[in-house]
Amino acid sequence: MIVTADEVNRSFRGTLDLLNSRAEGLKSFDMSERGFWRSFTALWLTLPAYVVSLAFERLRLGLLQPDRSLLDNVWVDIVVAFGHVAGFVVLPVAMIWIARWFRLEKAYVPFVIVTNWISVIGMLVLSVPAMLMLVGWAPPGLASLFSLAFAIIVVRLQWFATKSTLGLASLPALGIVVFGILLNAVVASAMRGLLG
């Protein structure tokens, strides 16, 4: 069940509509059970973001050197891959119980589908400032500023999508988005703890 180019195009178009606060963008997503499982396979599209994360972690650990391969330390590769995948699935998994608790079971599948596509776009966009810093095109301060600006846009997009898919008011939707951010922070902290 590999995601098709047409589905990528429609889902990115739907995400762009949601970014512009147009709830009709939800119609662009495949909300079927097949679309649900395929939205998880969209993680493959974030492979460039994984490579940037891997390079960034190697730089942080002092392992990034011009004469060494990017994939020469299996432990670092596995831990960063684990963090990458866990960051993608942690909110959808946690939402199983939250959706049951708030009686939002019918909205769970659309929420996960849209969230997965937003995560794909978010991972790709948020990897750009780190990549610019790694190649020397942006100093760390400027890269951090870009990251903050992109993160605000992605959070706002996730907030509107959460509101639209779950049918929630603004504040509870923001609560779910903040919960997702906290879960990702826990995953990142665990990854860094494993790497030392």
Side-chain angles (χ1 to χ4, degrees):
M1 260 201 300
I2 294 177
V3 67
T4 64
D6 176 61
E7 189 167 6
V8 171
N9 186 35
R10 281 186 296 101
S11 299
F12 278 19
R13 194 171 58 244
T15 303
L16 188 59
D17 282 341
L18 293 172
L19 180 61
N20 290 303
S21 301
R22 293 194 295 260
E24 61 268 19
L26 294 175
K27 295 175 185 170
S28 298
F29 297 91
D30 179 359
M31 298 295 191
S32 67
E33 182 182 348
R34 191 179 82 171
F36 174 81
W37 293 113
R38 282 161 62 130
S39 73
F40 285 99
T41 65
L43 180 62
W44 287 108
L45 298 172
T46 68
L47 196 55
Y50 165 72
V51 171
V52 171
S53 295
L54 186 59
F56 196 79
E57 284 304 315
R58 285 182 178 276
L59 177 66
R60 188 181 70 81
L61 295 167
L63 301 173
L64 189 63
Q65 297 170 8
D67 60 334
R68 292 178 65 181
S69 166
L70 191 60
L71 301 171
D72 67 351
N73 186 317
V74 176
W75 175 247
V76 174
D77 302 341
I78 289 171
V79 172
V80 173
F82 167 77
H84 192 75
V85 172
F88 190 77
V89 300
V90 68
L91 182 59
V93 170
M95 280 301 292
I96 293 170
W97 293 279
I98 294 171
R100 286 181 184 157
W101 194 27
F102 289 106
R103 303 194 192 294
L104 298 168
E105 294 95 337
K106 291 182 180 174
Y108 174 75
V109 168
F111 170 80
V112 170
I113 291 167
V114 174
T115 295
N116 285 350
W117 283 103
I118 290 172
S119 293
V120 166
I121 291 172
M123 287 177 169
L124 292 171
V125 167
L126 290 171
S127 70
V128 171
M131 182 190 66
L132 292 175
M133 190 188 82
L134 286 167
V135 298
W137 291 356
L142 185 59
S144 296
L145 188 63
F146 287 155
S147 293
L148 178 62
F150 291 159
I152 290 169
I153 292 168
V154 172
V155 165
R156 193 219 166 270
L157 169 60
Q158 183 63 57
W159 166 78
F160 184 78
T162 299
K163 244 176 77 162
S164 301
T165 55
L166 296 179
L168 295 175
S170 295
L171 204 53
L174 182 60
I176 288 174
V177 172
V178 170
F179 179 62
I181 292 168
L182 292 174
L183 289 174
N184 277 317
V186 168
V187 167
S189 177
M191 183 186 77
R192 295 229 163 106
L194 287 170
L195 290 175

